[in-house]
Amino acid sequence: MAVANVMTALEYGIRTVDSSVAGLGGCPFSPGATGNVATEDLVHALHGAGYETGVDLRKLVTTGQWISDKLGRRNESRAGRGWSARWSREEQKGSK
C-alpha cells in the first residue's frame, strides 16, 4: 500500500519520500510492524512508471539482500526478493 501511496503523492507534486533498504525499520511500540516501504520496491515502481531515479536497481537489491543476511532477517522487499531470484536463475543458466 505504501508504494501506491507514493505513486499517488507524485501526482500531487510530492517529490521527496522516505524509504529504507530491504524495508528495515518498524516501531518498537507496535509489535508486528513490518517496517518502512522498501526502497527497492519504490525504485522498481518508479522505473516501471518511467521515472529516472539515478539509482542502480541491481546494486540496491544486492545491498538489501546483503544487509538482510547480515542481520539474519528476511528481506521485506518484494521487488528485491524477486529480482534476486531472477538474477540468480540467470547466473545459474549462464554457468551451465
Side-chain angles (χ1 to χ4, degrees), residues 2 20 22-27 30-38 73-77:
S20 63
L24 293 172
C27 177
S30 181
T34 57
N36 300 302
V37 62
R73 60 167 289 187
R74 178 180 170 194
N75 183 338
E76 294 297 330
S77 168

Side-chain angles (χ1 to χ4, degrees), residues 39-45 47 53-64 77 79-80 83 87:
T39 306
E40 300 92 318
D41 295 347
L42 190 53
V43 170
H44 173 77
H47 287 180
T53 64
V55 175
D56 182 323
L57 186 58
R58 184 179 284 265
K59 288 181 180 179
L60 177 61
V61 166
T62 300
T63 300
S77 168
W83 280 113
W87 294 327

Side-chain angles (χ1 to χ4, degrees), residues 7 32 55 66 70 75:
M7 300 306 283
V55 175
W66 174 83
K70 288 291 183 187
N75 183 338

Side-chain angles (χ1 to χ4, degrees), residues 2-3 7 15-16 18 21 30 34 41 43 48-49 64-65 69 71:
V3 172
M7 300 306 283
R15 294 295 182 263
T16 303
D18 288 334
V21 70
S30 181
T34 57
D41 295 347
V43 170
Q65 193 56 56
D69 291 344
L71 294 173

